Amino acid sequence: MILPFYQALTEDVTALSPAMDSLHDIRRKALERFTATGLPTLKTEAWRYTNIQRYLKEFPYELLTTAAPVSPEVAESKAIPELDCYRIVLVNGHLQADQSVLPEGKGITVGAMSAHTAAPGFVTYFNEQHHLAGESMAQLNTALFADGLYIELAANTVLDKPIHIVHVYSCATHAIIQPRHLWVLNRSAAATIIESSVHPETAAVAFANSVLETVVMENAELWHYNVQQGEESFREVHTTAAQQHKDSRYHHFNFTLPNTPFTRNNLSVALNGSHTETNLNGLYIANNHQHVDNHTFMDHIMPDCNSNELYKGVLLDNANGVFTGKILVHQEAQKTNAFQQNNNLLLGSKADINSQPQLEIYADDVKCSHGFTAGQFSEESMFYLRSRGIGEDAAKALMVNAFSHDITDAVKEPALQHYLQEQIAEIMNN
């Protein structure tokens, strides 16, 4: 079966975005890589538990490279109460300036990717992260993306409040949408960026294949939160490729909440400088027949670096979860300290988890560990709560809240932390 959006592969890829003609060679090379590897299959090691072709064949998706008008209320529905922030609204990856409040000032560049292809950060870092070369869905995005968000902070620039990016995916017919983003924090810069997405309820299904590259330069710090609250008519492959340089700090949080039938998150971090700190935190709560796949890769390239990774899952009903976490320690990366843990609660009669923690170590002076757990509620704890007059559903909600607290408690923004805790409580109470 030839998927409809494949037809775009035979077109001149630069015609998808005339303002980006300088990307002709990059698009062509990406197209060649994708054509050589094709879509992932169950024989592809990184996709052995996720059949993406099943989801791509659900509907006759067409490639969508434009933004349809949407009312301000759509983005407003994802506002985080009491969060003082800059807000950026993207529709199918296209910046909606009239609905956005952009940070301004010396040393701050924020705007559409299509308007910043000559920016120093773009010229230096766009599509330069080597982890993307092995991701066929990322190569598809590189070949066919239309637009996205560009952020660059000059050296010593510190944003005074968070940026909240609302991704709106809107389509009149079933469509595959491919936004592309690049964020660059130069030396000693600092920012907090929150992402969330919304797809207005329609009969049309949107399939987002998005790619984000982040660059955290020497002594810079980025707090990055991705809150995935989708709808039944939305599917997503979200790829984030980060690179860190000497003395930098990168904190990434991924929250995947119920309803979206299919979510795949690819997250890779290249530790390209010594004395870096990396913290990856994930919480996924899935219901019905939802499929959530988190694939992480921590690439320790230089010595004296610390990484901590904690992912937790709550699987309800017939939901299916996948976690693949790889830590690679190169021979030069002596004195690496790396920790990884994946814990899961299986609360549905047919809920399932496939977890693959992986360590690949070529250095001899390291401290590395990984682990995995899966189980149900402790009968003793449940009995304790029930014996004090707490109903079964309320007891489960309390225990899930406690299970997720070491993820939510690490959220730096109080308003976002409160919002997430309320969302979790509402999910379990319902």
Side-chain angles (χ1 to χ4, degrees), residues 33-54:
R33 289 194 189 101
F34 177 76
T35 302
T37 59
L39 288 170
T41 70
L42 292 176
K43 294 182 179 180
T44 306
E45 180 60 27
W47 292 80
R48 60 185 299 187
Y49 295 115
T50 297
N51 184 3
I52 188 175
Q53 297 198 30
R54 165 193 167 189

Side-chain angles (χ1 to χ4, degrees), residues 134-419:
E135 289 283 351
S136 62
M137 294 301 290
Q139 295 305 308
L140 180 66
N141 175 284
T142 302
L144 300 178
F145 80 95
D147 213 341
L149 184 67
Y150 180 77
I151 299 175
E152 183 171 4
L153 301 184
N156 303 308
T157 302
V158 178
L159 283 182
D160 59 331
K161 54 187 178 182
I163 295 175
H164 182 200
I165 303 169
V166 181
H167 300 278
V168 180
Y169 297 103
S170 180
C171 52
T173 59
H174 305 312
I176 184 167
I177 302 164
Q178 307 205 74
R180 182 62 171 257
H181 316 289
L182 173 61
W183 307 343
V184 180
L185 277 67
N186 285 293
R187 178 178 51 81
S188 299
T192 296
I193 302 177
I194 303 165
E195 295 185 272
S196 57
S197 61
V198 58
H199 174 55
E201 280 292 346
T202 64
V205 174
F207 192 118
N209 176 36
S210 60
V211 173
L212 163 65
E213 295 176 89
T214 66
V215 182
V216 189
M217 294 300 292
E218 181 180 350
N219 198 43
E221 183 169 25
L222 175 60
W223 289 78
H224 178 197
Y225 304 93
N226 185 25
V227 183
Q228 297 173 315
Q229 292 172 286
E231 290 80 19
E232 289 285 345
S233 53
F234 185 59
R235 290 99 172 97
E236 180 175 23
V237 175
H238 186 82
T239 300
T240 300
Q243 60 170 292
Q244 292 183 249
H245 295 262
K246 183 179 178 181
D247 297 315
S248 66
R249 297 163 302 285
Y250 179 54
H251 317 274
H252 184 276
F253 292 75
N254 203 96
F255 297 91
T256 307
L257 303 181
N259 296 330
T260 300
F262 169 63
T263 303
R264 163 79 177 214
N265 294 309
N266 298 312
L267 171 59
S268 63
V269 185
L271 283 66
N272 291 333
S274 59
H275 301 285
T276 63
E277 177 187 345
T278 312
N279 297 295
L280 306 184
N281 297 275
L283 177 67
Y284 45 98
I285 303 177
N287 65 355
N288 298 326
H289 292 274
Q290 188 175 358
H291 183 90
V292 178
D293 183 348
N294 286 291
H295 194 99
T296 69
F297 178 25
M298 192 78 73
D299 195 3
H300 280 268
I301 301 170
M302 301 297 287
D304 297 292
C305 294
N306 297 318
S307 67
N308 293 280
E309 180 175 3
L310 177 60
Y311 268 66
K312 289 194 166 187
V314 179
L315 301 169
L316 311 168
D317 306 321
N318 299 321
N320 178 253
V322 180
F323 174 80
T324 303
K326 180 177 180 179
I327 298 174
L328 172 61
V329 182
H330 294 253
Q331 186 173 359
E332 296 80 6
Q334 302 293 337
K335 299 189 182 301
T336 287
N337 189 348
F339 167 82
Q340 179 193 95
Q341 183 70 31
N342 174 227
N343 299 331
N344 298 273
L345 282 176
L346 304 179
L347 304 185
S349 59
K350 295 185 179 180
D352 185 41
I353 178 71
N354 291 287
S355 184
Q356 299 181 95
Q358 302 172 0
L359 286 176
E360 190 173 338
I361 302 172
Y362 297 97
D364 50 21
D365 185 8
V366 301
K367 293 181 180 179
C368 297
S369 64
H370 64 182
F372 158 73
T373 63
Q376 298 179 331
F377 287 132
S378 162
E379 292 184 7
E380 182 179 347
S381 299
M382 183 63 73
F383 175 78
Y384 177 86
L385 294 172
R386 294 297 302 278
S387 67
R388 280 151 180 76
I390 299 174
E392 182 177 356
D393 289 343
K396 288 181 178 180
L398 284 172
M399 293 181 72
V400 167
N401 189 46
F403 177 76
S404 61
H405 251 273
D406 45 3
I407 304 292
T408 57
D409 282 357
V411 173
K412 185 181 69 169
E413 296 297 324
L416 177 60
Q417 182 186 89
H418 181 68
Y419 173 80

